[in-house]
Amino acid sequence: MNNKCYYKLLVVGNAYDNHIVRYVENLRKVNDKCIIDIITKKMGDSICQSLFESVNNIFEFSSKKVGFLRHIKNIVGFRRFVEQKLVGKKYDVVVIQYVFGDYLFILPILRKCARILISCPWGSDILRTGAIEHFAQHIIFKNSDFIVCGDTRFGKYVQSRYAIPKNKICKYGLAGSAFVDLLLEKNNKISSLDAKTFMGISANSYVITCAYNSSPAQNHSIILKSLGKIEDLLPQNLVLLFPFTYGGGDEDYKQTIKTLASSLNFHSIFIESYLSEEDLFYLRKCSDMFIHIQNTDANNASLKEYLYCGVKVINGSWLEYDDLTCYEPLPYWEVTSFDDLPNTILQAYNDKPKNLPQEWCDNFRSFGAHYRANKLNEFYSECVEK
């Protein structure tokens, strides 16, 4: 199949959102022949300039502010706007990115101009909806040719909640991660010792990274108290890393954690300045162990990135990853309660590294931006050739 197949694509979504920007930019990188238009509501001050360079047209509707009557007027106004912009137009593929229930009112227009209509739910559009929104989404999905539902817990939830038949399911809907591409490129070229040197850490140090942000829900104090209980059994060259670049922990909370860390006989480093994607890679790669025991989780990528870098990972049993828990033995050390954390840390420290299943590694690579863009382009091209 020609990787540069010509097709006309209409994206219905928020042009101010970085996910949409990356999705379009990556598609353009793998196919410079296709036509890409976007219909968006005005959702910010300015649209990213690089998006203008990747699309053919951006149709932007300026909605009014809040209020029930305003909302009704906006629905009617947006429908008229879409109807005017799309009159007489035909697209090979129309993709709804983030399925607002309000899109029900423009569904007949989209259906009329689309050869193939694809709905791509993101998460909160499904999980934070009431009965009316759910009803509208159900109709949108019923009238879509494909719905994006990956092999994740969320994807399975969407399939079950909306009774989506298997022949309407497609796997890829959004752009992949540029960070995964960077990690794939550098992982085998940069050693853990190189990464420690880059981070300004002694090459002979044993580095434990404690959680991945400053939120109190990450349970930093529990990690520190657990380490304190086994202080004499851990190496003297131990370094504790705390990524505090985001997460919402206020200054009082951060200071409490810093004070607690200083009471231990370990060197602690708190990273609070912005990290580029390259810096993030070195953070992952310099770590010997990563402890992840936050209260809840939405399939966070950090744990998987540490795993792929060969880091020993401790994960709370309440934080389930369907693509990892299916393997026996688990590719990480599991802690079932906070009380068990000290022993689990010692076990992970003394054990040999766990082997990652090759199947999982191959699947992890599929989250890269380049891989996803090619898969999306292939799928859209197939829609044209049918």
Side-chain angles (χ1 to χ4, degrees):
M1 178 175 48
N2 183 1
N3 218 30
K4 297 290 185 73
C5 179
Y6 171 84
Y7 54 79
K8 294 181 70 175
L9 170 68
L10 174 66
V11 180
V12 182
N14 178 8
Y16 294 81
D17 190 282
N18 286 331
H19 291 91
I20 297 288
V21 175
R22 289 196 297 269
Y23 160 75
V24 172
E25 288 179 345
N26 291 331
L27 262 180
R28 179 59 75 202
K29 287 176 183 177
V30 299
N31 192 331
D32 56 8
K33 291 185 177 180
C34 61
I35 300 294
I36 304 178
D37 293 345
I38 295 181
I39 280 190
T40 182
K41 294 180 181 180
K42 185 172 178 59
M43 305 286 279
D45 293 329
S46 62
I47 294 173
C48 180
Q49 184 58 39
S50 63
L51 185 62
F52 286 100
E53 298 167 2
S54 301
V55 302
N56 297 86
N57 296 290
I58 297 179
F59 307 122
E60 184 179 20
F61 173 73
S62 294
S63 57
K64 304 296 182 183
K65 296 294 182 181
V66 292
F68 178 73
L69 290 178
R70 292 283 192 190
H71 182 65
I72 298 298
K73 289 180 179 179
N74 283 333
I75 291 174
V76 175
F78 185 56
R79 189 185 192 285
R80 288 174 179 169
F81 175 83
V82 172
E83 197 167 29
Q84 291 169 0
K85 294 299 179 183
L86 299 186
V87 62
K89 287 185 170 62
K90 295 292 182 182
Y91 291 92
D92 297 298
V93 181
V94 174
V95 181
I96 299 174
Q97 293 284 8
Y98 199 102
V99 187
F100 285 108
D102 289 356
Y103 286 161
L104 176 64
F105 297 97
I106 63 169
L107 180 64
I109 305 169
L110 300 179
R111 188 67 271 182
K112 186 177 180 180
C113 74
R115 183 176 179 182
I116 299 292
L117 178 62
I118 302 172
S119 290
C120 181
W122 286 18
S124 57
D125 50 345
I126 301 297
L127 301 175
R128 299 174 187 171
T129 57
I132 295 176
E133 193 92 358
H134 170 73
F135 175 76
Q137 290 167 337
H138 184 81
I139 297 175
I140 293 171
F141 289 148
K142 187 176 182 180
N143 285 275
S144 299
D145 297 292
F146 295 101
I147 298 93
V148 178
C149 298
D151 295 328
T152 63
R153 185 177 305 173
F154 172 69
K156 292 173 183 176
Y157 172 77
V158 173
Q159 294 176 45
S160 174
R161 182 179 185 186
Y162 297 92
I164 298 170
K166 290 184 178 180
N167 65 343
K168 293 184 72 169
I169 294 171
C170 63
K171 188 174 181 180
Y172 303 110
L174 266 177
S177 167
F179 179 69
V180 170
D181 285 345
L182 177 69
L183 192 153
L184 295 175
E185 176 193 349
K186 288 181 172 290
N187 190 43
N188 292 327
K189 298 177 182 178
I190 306 295
S191 70
S192 176
L193 296 180
D194 294 333
K196 286 173 182 174
T197 301
F198 180 90
M199 295 292 291
I201 299 171
S202 175
N204 68 345
S205 298
Y206 190 90
V207 178
I208 296 181
T209 299
C210 305
Y212 63 83
N213 67 36
S214 65
S215 170
Q218 297 280 335
N219 294 312
H220 304 98
S221 62
I222 291 173
I223 295 174
L224 285 168
K225 290 174 183 176
S226 296
L227 289 166
K229 291 177 181 178
I230 52 175
E231 195 169 359
D232 295 337
L233 301 174
L234 292 170
Q236 292 184 343
N237 62 343
L238 185 66
V239 173
L240 304 180
L241 274 184
F242 293 85
F244 271 18
T245 55
Y246 72 100
D250 60 28
E251 290 306 315
D252 287 342
Y253 175 77
K254 292 177 184 178
Q255 189 55 52
T256 299
I257 299 304
K258 290 176 182 178
T259 301
L260 182 56
S262 67
S263 69
L264 303 178
N265 291 322
F266 306 128
H267 179 50
S268 296
I269 299 174
F270 289 82
I271 302 173
E272 299 183 72
S273 57
Y274 169 80
L275 294 178
S276 67
E277 289 193 336
E278 185 171 16
D279 294 333
L280 279 173
F281 165 74
Y282 283 103
L283 172 64
R284 307 284 192 262
K285 194 68 179 180
C286 81
S287 305
D288 295 288
M289 185 186 298
F290 171 61
I291 301 177
H292 180 238
I293 57 163
Q294 64 174 317
N295 293 334
T296 58
D297 184 37
N299 206 28
N300 185 272
S302 296
L303 178 141
K304 299 178 184 181
E305 292 160 5
Y306 280 104
L307 277 176
Y308 194 82
C309 284
V311 178
K312 292 181 176 181
V313 171
I314 293 176
N315 186 54
S317 61
W318 56 93
L319 306 171
E320 297 183 12
Y321 292 76
D322 291 346
D323 60 330
L324 290 167
T325 54
C326 60
Y327 294 106
E328 183 63 40
L330 291 171
Y332 53 79
W333 285 261
E334 189 172 63
V335 58
T336 55
S337 72
F338 294 147
D339 292 337
D340 294 334
L341 184 56
N343 286 334
T344 305
I345 293 172
L346 280 178
Q347 183 183 357
Y349 172 71
N350 292 310
D351 283 357
K352 294 179 180 179
K354 292 181 180 283
N355 293 322
L356 281 175
Q358 186 58 49
E359 181 185 36
W360 183 85
C361 291
D362 293 340
N363 184 60
F364 178 81
R365 295 186 188 103
S366 74
F367 289 95
H370 183 71
Y371 181 94
R372 285 288 178 97
N374 275 296
K375 285 295 183 182
L376 283 167
N377 183 56
E378 287 175 12
F379 180 64
Y380 296 160
S381 299
E382 288 172 359
C383 290
V384 174
E385 293 177 355
K386 287 180 180 178

